[in-house]
Amino acid sequence: LVWKVFEEAVSQGKVHRLGISNCYDPKYFKNLYEHAKIKPSFLKTDSIVTAGTTNSFVSFVMSTKFDIKVFGH
């Protein structure tokens, strides 16, 4: 529901790109990506948490051609 509000902001020209942050649940990420009318174009994540993600999740993210922003501490 929230993503639809973001998509509307893009349609109105208020926002240029949509992205997500701190999404570490592969099921949630895939569901959002597969059902979103306007796909997220970047993923901002923490390098410490990213190190613990599964290879299949990382592979899926890479296959979407996201602009991935990884931040460390």
Side-chain angles (χ1 to χ4, degrees):
L1 183 60
V2 172
W3 195 259
K4 291 186 184 295
V5 173
F6 294 154
E7 291 175 330
E8 183 62 29
V10 173
S11 298
Q12 294 173 354
K14 296 177 180 178
V15 176
H16 298 286
R17 292 174 52 189
L18 297 177
I20 56 176
S21 177
N22 302 321
C23 180
Y24 310 113
D25 182 346
K27 290 180 185 177
Y28 179 83
F29 182 87
K30 288 180 181 181
N31 185 53
L32 173 64
Y33 190 80
E34 291 170 356
H35 293 97
K37 178 179 170 186
I38 298 174
K39 307 291 187 203
S41 61
F42 63 90
L43 170 64
K44 179 193 159 290
T45 188
D46 187 320
S47 63
I48 293 171
V49 177
T50 304
T53 59
T54 63
N55 287 337
S56 62
F57 180 48
V58 173
S59 295
F60 178 78
V61 171
M62 298 301 286
S63 75
T64 63
K65 301 194 184 340
F66 263 48
D67 180 9
I68 301 173
K69 309 286 187 198
V70 179
F71 296 90
H73 293 278

